[in-house]
């Protein structure tokens, strides 16, 4: 029997009704089921949450509770990206919402902390994306002339500098004493920008690749941050203290903060705050 008490600390519910469950996904959590336990993916945790709710509602009334509630992911986020994920509680809602997503009639707003001071206050990155055939990482894409069209609009919300270089990664227990924070990223190690982003298309890893292409990769991005061996080290469980210090944050600093769409005659808008490590990084600048 599942230990439902564990769920209280695993995700925040932004909104719930008879048709929708909107969750603020924590960074480091995959959306789809993995080979791990019942808590290793967002959809598995959400099903356990609904199972608990149905069990509580049926107690004392002799109702038969479905052990696997109907639940459908309408869209997904990368493992390390935090923020809003929309799930439908029944096939009818899932079908209707799926058509909205297919038509791209959805506004998605992200926030990212990137390396360096982005010069332009606003801009559009228009660069086609496709498979990176030179990479050792099978899932990695890149900007290439024959790729699929992709556009990302951005606005600079804040440019800031940190008072000192970090000697340990924020939010990680490893100290990393005596190990440096050298990086291949061509920016002063203390300069950063907070961006607000609106993807005009929905390609895989689009925002992350476009910001790397702009010359301002996302802080903590192991795959598109300038050294893909950081990603391989993570997958192979060999990340060193020095590598964690170079990354600065335990997960890349990308957050899906707003979602808006029209459905059943109403405009639905949901917002979610970034995680504490993201906020702390912004607040501790000089």
């Amino acid at each position: 029997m599942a230990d439902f008490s564990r769920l209280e600390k695993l995700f925040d519910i932004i909104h719930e009704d008879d048709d929708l469950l909107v969750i603020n996904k924590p960074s480091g959590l995959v959306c789809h089921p993995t080979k791990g336990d019942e808590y290793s993916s967002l959809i598995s945790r959400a099903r356990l949450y609904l199972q608990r709710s149905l069990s509580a509602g049926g107690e004392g009334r002799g109702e038969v509770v479905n052990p696997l509630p109907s639940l459908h992911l309408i869209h997904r986020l990368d493992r390390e990206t935090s923020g809003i994920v929309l799930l439908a509680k029944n096939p009818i809602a899932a079908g209707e919402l799926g058509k909205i997503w297919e038509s791209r009639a959805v506004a998605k707003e992200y926030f990212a902390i990137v390396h360096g001071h982005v010069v332009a206050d606003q801009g559009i990155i228009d660069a086609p994306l496709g498979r990176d055939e030179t990479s050792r990482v099978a899932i990695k894409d890149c900007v290439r002339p024959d790729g699929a069209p992709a556009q990302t609009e951005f606005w600079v919300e804040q440019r800031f500098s940190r008072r000192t270089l970090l000697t340990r990664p924020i939010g990680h227990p490893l100290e990393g004493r005596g190990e440096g924070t050298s990086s291949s990223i061509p920016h002063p190690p203390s300069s950063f920008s907070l961006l607000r982003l609106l993807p005009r298309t929905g390609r895989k890893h689009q925002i992350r690749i476009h910001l790397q292409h702009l010359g301002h990769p996302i802080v903590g991005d192991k795959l598109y941050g300038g050294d893909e061996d950081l990603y391989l080290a993570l997958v192979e469980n060999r990340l060193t203290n020095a590598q964690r210090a170079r990354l600065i944050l335990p997960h890349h600093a990308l957050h899906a903060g707003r979602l808006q769409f029209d459905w059943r005659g109403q405009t639905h808008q949901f917002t979610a705050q970034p995680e504490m490590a993201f906020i702390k990084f912004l607040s501790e600048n000089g």
Side-chain angles (χ1 to χ4, degrees):
M1 185 174 180
D3 179 10
F4 292 123
S5 63
R6 289 177 59 186
L7 290 167
E8 298 300 331
K9 299 179 181 179
L10 296 181
F11 57 69
D12 293 327
I13 297 174
I14 300 170
H15 171 82
E16 183 177 8
D17 57 34
D18 291 341
D19 296 301
L20 302 179
L21 179 63
V22 188
I23 292 172
N24 187 4
K25 185 186 86 68
S27 57
L29 180 67
V30 295
C31 284
H32 290 289
T34 66
K35 295 180 180 179
D37 65 15
E38 57 200 352
Y39 300 97
S40 63
S41 71
L42 180 69
I43 188 70
S44 296
R45 294 182 187 184
R47 283 174 178 153
L48 287 171
Y49 165 77
L50 287 187
Q51 185 181 358
R52 179 187 64 174
S53 300
L54 291 170
S55 297
E59 287 179 358
R61 298 201 299 269
E63 296 180 7
V64 177
V65 177
N66 183 357
L68 290 175
S70 174
L71 202 58
H72 309 264
L73 273 169
I74 304 305
H75 65 114
R76 64 182 181 178
L77 298 175
D78 294 341
R79 176 193 293 267
E80 293 202 0
T81 303
S82 62
I84 302 170
V85 176
L86 179 68
L87 302 97
K89 289 183 175 182
N90 56 72
I92 295 176
E96 294 174 356
L97 292 168
K99 291 179 180 178
I100 294 173
W101 254 252
E102 289 175 4
S103 69
R104 299 183 181 178
V106 182
K108 303 176 184 178
E109 189 174 78
Y110 291 76
F111 292 91
I113 303 173
V114 301
H115 288 275
H117 288 168
V118 179
V119 175
D121 291 333
Q122 182 271 340
I124 296 179
I125 307 168
D126 188 350
L129 303 180
R131 182 181 176 188
D132 187 346
E133 297 176 349
T134 66
S135 174
R136 293 176 292 164
V137 181
I139 64 169
K140 188 176 183 181
D141 285 356
C142 66
V143 171
R144 51 186 294 170
D146 61 344
Q151 299 86 32
T152 303
E153 190 168 7
F154 70 88
W155 295 263
V156 176
E157 297 290 302
Q158 182 182 350
R159 300 179 183 91
F160 63 97
S161 299
R162 296 196 64 92
R163 295 186 181 92
T164 59
L165 290 178
L166 298 178
T167 57
R168 59 178 177 174
I170 291 177
H172 197 279
L174 296 178
E175 292 292 337
R177 291 189 180 92
E179 298 176 304
T181 57
S182 61
S183 173
S184 60
I185 296 170
H187 292 290
S190 59
S191 65
F192 304 93
S193 299
L194 171 66
L195 303 182
R196 179 167 57 90
L197 302 125
L198 185 66
R200 298 298 186 184
T201 53
R203 308 301 177 193
K204 184 183 74 176
H205 300 166
Q206 176 178 313
I207 292 175
R208 297 163 62 192
I209 301 171
H210 273 174
L211 291 177
Q212 179 196 41
H213 181 68
L214 187 66
H216 297 276
I218 296 173
V219 173
D221 196 326
K222 302 170 184 68
L223 189 54
Y224 299 103
D227 182 3
E228 69 178 29
D229 187 60
L230 292 170
Y231 175 82
L232 293 171
L234 174 71
V235 172
E236 298 165 4
N237 197 29
R238 57 176 174 81
L239 266 180
T240 66
N241 293 4
Q243 288 174 317
R244 294 183 189 277
R246 284 172 56 191
L247 289 165
I248 302 176
L249 293 170
H251 302 291
H252 63 229
L254 179 62
H255 176 73
R258 186 175 70 87
L259 183 67
Q260 181 175 317
F261 56 94
D262 293 330
W263 180 46
R264 294 180 176 177
Q266 293 184 347
T267 297
H268 297 261
Q269 177 172 279
F270 306 105
T271 60
Q273 290 296 311
E275 294 179 313
M276 188 52 61
F278 191 111
I279 295 172
K280 184 178 180 182
F281 190 85
L282 290 174
S283 64
E284 293 183 351
N285 60 79

